[in-house]
Amino acid sequence: AQKVTQAQTEISVVEKEDVTLDCVYETRDTTYYLFWYKQPPSGELVFLIRRNSFDEQNEISGRYSWNFQKSTSSFNFTITASQVVDSAVYFCALSESNQAGTALIFGKGTTLSVSS
Amino acid sequence: EAGVAQSPRYKIIEKRQSVAFWCNPISGHATLYWYQQILGQGPKLLIQFQNNGVVDDSQLPKDRFSAERLKGVDSTLKIQPAKLEDSAVYLCASSPNWASYEQYFGPGTRLTVT
């Protein structure tokens, strides 16, 4: 069965620290997509990145970077030089190509608190 | 481009009452999703529409929840009768089409059942 595990429930850092959010997934499909979403206190889910299972290249976008490793079924997210505005709940999600729909399967989320 | 709109933003009802939520997806988006997010958990799919047809409603508690998307645009999610465990945020998301795998979420409706 498909499953996404975010073992870190809460992380607290001080501004300018680097922080890595872990995500481990389970799937029997060979074609799938992985996502990260940010949910600030306002509640709206903000899309950050999508990765397909055939593209293991790491990606960097400004202070954000993602490390996808199929060998360990992990898709970790690193924020470099964290800022207070990064405080939010971050969700990792999985979508498979062979299920009836294309709904996202979310982890339980990691709450990141960045203090000044 | 306008985002996904949802109303109301907040709703408080007593158990056994009924409630309805409304979602207007991004213009032109064929696929619409309703998710339930219980406090402290990730969103869980309730139902997925492709235009006005249901693609996946396997996790919708059909004895009390119903949803429709009659003209393939707006959608309504209804709960009747509500239970205490239905307290959650109900998120609507839309996607350009079934295969795009990129979903845009609305602000959600926070439901409290007392």
Side-chain angles (χ1 to χ4, degrees), chain A residues 33 35 37 39 41-47 50 91 95-109, chain B residues 4 9 31 33 35 37 40-45 48 55-56 91 97-108:
Chain A
Y33 294 81
F35 303 76
Y37 280 85
Q39 189 172 45
S42 61
E44 194 159 338
L45 279 163
V46 178
F47 168 81
R50 178 188 66 193
F91 290 97
S95 183
E96 294 179 331
S97 65
N98 67 345
Q99 59 186 15
T102 50
L104 297 171
I105 299 158
F106 286 85
K108 291 188 175 182
Chain B
V4 177
R9 291 295 311 276
T31 310
Y33 308 81
Y35 289 85
Q37 186 177 15
Q41 297 184 21
K44 183 188 81 172
L45 178 77
Q48 176 183 347
V55 174
D56 183 1
L91 294 162
N97 56 63
W98 185 87
S100 72
Y101 289 98
E102 194 163 311
Q103 298 178 25
Y104 300 84
F105 284 82

Side-chain angles (χ1 to χ4, degrees), chain B residues 30-95:
Chain B
T31 310
L32 186 146
Y33 308 81
W34 282 102
Y35 289 85
Q36 179 193 57
Q37 186 177 15
I38 292 173
L39 186 65
Q41 297 184 21
K44 183 188 81 172
L45 178 77
L46 291 174
I47 190 167
Q48 176 183 347
F49 291 96
Q50 178 67 15
N51 296 309
N52 60 350
V54 175
V55 174
D56 183 1
D57 64 355
S58 56
Q59 298 188 82
L60 186 74
K62 298 181 184 65
D63 58 333
R64 298 184 301 105
F65 285 65
S66 65
E68 59 184 16
R69 194 184 184 200
L70 291 175
K71 295 181 179 179
V73 181
D74 293 5
S75 177
T76 303
L77 176 69
K78 297 179 182 176
I79 307 175
Q80 182 180 7
K83 292 185 175 181
L84 295 177
E85 58 261 37
D86 298 331
S87 294
V89 175
Y90 291 84
L91 294 162
C92 180
S94 72
S95 184

Side-chain angles (χ1 to χ4, degrees), chain A residues 18-30:
Chain A
D18 298 347
V19 58
T20 295
L21 309 181
D22 298 333
C23 173
V24 174
Y25 62 92
E26 294 177 29
T27 176
R28 288 173 292 189
D29 202 1
T30 55

Side-chain angles (χ1 to χ4, degrees), chain A residues 11-96:
Chain A
I11 300 176
S12 295
V13 299
V14 178
E15 238 182 347
K16 297 183 184 177
E17 282 187 36
D18 298 347
V19 58
T20 295
L21 309 181
D22 298 333
C23 173
V24 174
Y25 62 92
E26 294 177 29
T27 176
R28 288 173 292 189
D29 202 1
T30 55
T31 303
Y32 53 89
Y33 294 81
L34 295 165
F35 303 76
W36 276 95
Y37 280 85
K38 174 181 180 180
Q39 189 172 45
S42 61
E44 194 159 338
L45 279 163
V46 178
F47 168 81
L48 296 177
I49 189 171
R50 178 188 66 193
R51 252 304 175 251
N52 74 53
S53 52
F54 299 107
D55 183 3
E56 285 193 75
Q57 254 190 332
N58 292 331
E59 181 156 340
I60 298 174
S61 176
R63 296 184 297 108
Y64 295 169
S65 62
W66 291 269
N67 180 253
F68 176 28
Q69 292 194 346
K70 285 178 76 170
S71 60
T72 56
S73 296
S74 65
F75 186 44
N76 297 336
F77 172 32
T78 297
I79 302 174
T80 303
S82 60
Q83 299 176 2
V84 172
V85 293
D86 296 327
S87 296
V89 182
Y90 290 86
F91 290 97
C92 181
L94 164 72
S95 183
E96 294 179 331

